[in-house]
């Protein structure tokens, strides 16, 4: 069983030495350095999320990815995710095809609805059109991705009738994934368009998503489509020992989850609840290299995953700790995972 090992970040803004939040420009440069480090250490993928709020620095993942495209050699470069509902599919394709050209064919797109809705009013979209915007724009992007003639019409933008969208990619096929949560309709829709999925598992237990992945594979089969990859996106952190990892990571995790919780009306997360999430069945991959590797192996087997994407940044977790996490993930977790899976195969 082959498993790609990747990273995800949203450019979370951490405090500087004076305790004040770092300027987003500094955080973006830190993300660049982290992506370059991941490339040098041999990781397979880095995905950048799109947000338009004060606690994240990255609002234009494709622009940062273009910088990484010009300063890395082999790592695949994607979004995690592009908020397609509030973007234009034509421009999304054009921007990522450009990143693909700069990188020599290493660009990918993962589209989704996003975890937040701030982009809707920012770009003049009505939240009442939430479902229609995503479904129509995915339909258009799937058509554009064939890199041939496009004849499309819908209700969310003007009709499109063109020979092709420029620039095309050298390979003729820009990889396109769909980021999904726990909604059955989302995986069925991805199957309809013959698109692989990234399953965002950010709470609860990984095994809860087994039926969702089974539904996706059943939908592909019943539609007469080939089997497609499934990726896992989950938060986590690697340190020298389990104790050190929890000490360094969990305060940031609990604090940030409670910031989000207050916005959404959730009950505060307790340290005990956070610690449970780092256990064998929880959604947080926090611990020593041995602990994190074993948990990734189990999750990959459970869901038949082709890629695991560790969301290694978390709220105010500083750049130095994020960089050390990347080093341990690449140099100690990855070999253990690959050895375990090869032994099973």
């Amino acid at each position: 069983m082959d498993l790609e090992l990747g990273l995800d970040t949203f450019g979370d803004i951490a405090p500087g030495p004076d305790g004040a939040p770092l300027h987003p420009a500094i955080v973006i440069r830190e993300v660049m350095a982290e992506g370059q480090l991941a490339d040098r250490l041999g990781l397979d993928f880095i995905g950048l999320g799109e947000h338009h709020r004060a606690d994240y620095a990255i609002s234009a993942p494709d622009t940062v990815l273009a910088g990484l495209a010009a300063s890395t050699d082999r790592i695949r470069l994607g979004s995690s995710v592009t908020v397609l509902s509030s973007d234009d599919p034509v421009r999304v394709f054009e921007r990522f095809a450009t990143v693909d050209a700069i990188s020599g064919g290493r660009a990918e797109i993962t589209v989704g609805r996003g975890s937040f809705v701030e982009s809707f009013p920012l770009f003049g979209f009505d939240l009442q059109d939430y479902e229609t915007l995503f479904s129509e724009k995915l339909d258009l992007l799937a058509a554009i991705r064939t890199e041939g003639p496009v004849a499309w019409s819908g209700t969310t933008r003007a009709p499109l009738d063109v020979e092709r969208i420029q620039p095309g990619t050298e390979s003729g096929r820009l990889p396109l994934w769909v980021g999904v949560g726990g909604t059955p309709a989302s995986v069925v829709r991805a199957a309809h368009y013959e698109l692989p999925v990234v399953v965002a598992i950010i709470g609860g237990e990984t095994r809860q998503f087994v039926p969702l992945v089974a539904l996706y594979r059943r939908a592909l089969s019943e539609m007469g489509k080939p089997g497609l990859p499934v990726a896992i996106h989950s938060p986590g952190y690697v340190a020298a020992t389990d104790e050190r990892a929890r000490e360094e990571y969990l305060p940031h995790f609990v604090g940030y989850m409670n910031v989000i919780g207050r916005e959404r009306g959730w009950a505060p997360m307790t340290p005990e609840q956070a610690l449970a999430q780092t256990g064998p069945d929880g959604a947080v991959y926090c611990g020593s290299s041995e602990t994190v590797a074993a948990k990734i192996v189990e999750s990959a087997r459970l869901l038949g995953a082709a890629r695991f994407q560790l969301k290694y940044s978390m709220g105010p977790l500083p750049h130095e700790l994020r960089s050390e996490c990347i080093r341990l993930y690449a140099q100690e977790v990855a070999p253990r995972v690959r050895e375990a899976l090869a032994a099973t195969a």
Side-chain angles (χ1 to χ4, degrees), residues 32-104:
M32 288 283 295
E34 290 157 11
Q36 292 158 1
L37 174 63
D39 180 61
R40 291 195 302 273
L41 295 177
L43 289 172
D44 298 302
F45 173 82
I46 185 165
L48 309 184
E50 173 195 346
H51 295 86
H52 305 269
R53 43 186 287 142
D55 41 1
Y56 298 121
I58 300 174
S59 61
D62 47 274
T63 304
V64 184
L65 291 170
L68 285 171
S71 58
T72 58
D73 296 317
R74 62 169 299 277
I75 195 167
R76 296 198 63 79
L77 307 165
S79 54
S80 291
V81 299
T82 295
V83 184
L84 187 61
S85 306
S86 55
D87 211 329
D88 182 87
V90 175
R91 291 296 286 144
V92 168
F93 178 84
E94 289 176 339
R95 296 194 302 260
F96 279 88
T98 302
V99 174
D100 196 66
I102 297 169
S103 67

Side-chain angles (χ1 to χ4, degrees), residues 95-182:
R95 296 194 302 260
F96 279 88
T98 302
V99 174
D100 196 66
I102 297 169
S103 67
R106 293 183 283 128
E108 300 182 1
I109 312 171
T110 300
V111 297
R113 304 165 190 270
S115 300
F116 303 94
V117 295
E118 75 279 353
S119 64
F120 285 79
L122 184 64
F123 297 117
F125 293 99
D126 192 331
L127 275 171
Q128 292 186 348
D129 299 326
Y130 186 84
E131 175 62 30
T132 303
L133 283 165
F134 185 76
S135 59
E136 286 199 0
K137 291 186 177 188
L138 181 60
D139 186 61
L140 176 54
L141 184 58
I144 292 170
R145 176 177 172 261
T146 64
E147 302 198 28
V150 178
W152 181 92
S153 64
T155 63
T156 55
R157 56 153 291 156
L160 190 64
D161 190 356
V162 295
E163 282 302 309
R164 65 179 300 166
I165 301 299
Q166 299 290 354
T169 62
E170 289 179 293
S171 68
R173 198 72 169 177
L174 184 60
L176 175 61
W177 300 66
V178 179
V180 301

Side-chain angles (χ1 to χ4, degrees), residues 285 288-298 332-337 340:
Y285 294 70
S288 66
S289 300
E290 295 88 350
T291 296
V292 173
K295 193 166 177 177
I296 290 173
V297 168
E298 176 62 23
E332 298 188 9
V333 174
R336 285 179 168 88
V337 169

Side-chain angles (χ1 to χ4, degrees), residues 167-210:
T169 62
E170 289 179 293
S171 68
R173 198 72 169 177
L174 184 60
L176 175 61
W177 300 66
V178 179
V180 301
T183 308
S186 296
V187 297
V188 173
R189 176 162 41 210
H192 168 74
Y193 289 109
E194 206 170 304
L195 297 174
V197 296
V198 181
V199 183
I201 305 175
I202 57 176
E205 298 183 357
T206 301
R207 68 181 64 256
Q208 294 173 316
F209 291 80
V210 170

